[in-house]
Amino acid sequence: VRVEEIREASEAFLTGSNKKVMPVTRIDDHCLGDGTPGPVTRHLMELFEAYRVGYVRQVAVGRI
């Protein structure tokens, strides 16, 4: 991703098994969107959490 592309983005996030979905609202002095997690990022955060909860429940009952 080029710096120019980041400056044009309305929202961004990082993801990983330990960070889940982590919104990026600022890069250096540049604010992405309105400075809060955008709708796509929030939706992905909700989906990831729902998946995580479902997975943990399946492990707890021995299905996985």
Side-chain angles (χ1 to χ4, degrees):
V1 177
R2 296 187 334 246
V3 173
E4 299 82 26
E5 294 172 317
I6 293 171
R7 293 192 183 280
E8 294 175 9
S10 58
E11 60 183 294
F13 63 89
L14 301 172
T15 188
S17 58
N18 63 336
K19 294 291 183 190
K20 302 176 187 170
V21 178
M22 185 175 79
V24 176
T25 57
R26 178 177 293 278
I27 298 175
D28 293 331
D29 292 333
H30 180 73
C31 191
L32 297 178
D34 65 1
T36 63
V40 173
T41 303
R42 287 192 315 268
H43 183 66
L44 289 172
M45 291 169 74
E46 292 169 5
L47 290 173
F48 191 94
E49 184 61 15
Y51 172 80
R52 188 194 64 78
V53 168
Y55 182 84
V56 169
R57 284 185 183 146
Q58 288 185 8
V59 169
V61 297
R63 291 188 188 159
I64 294 179

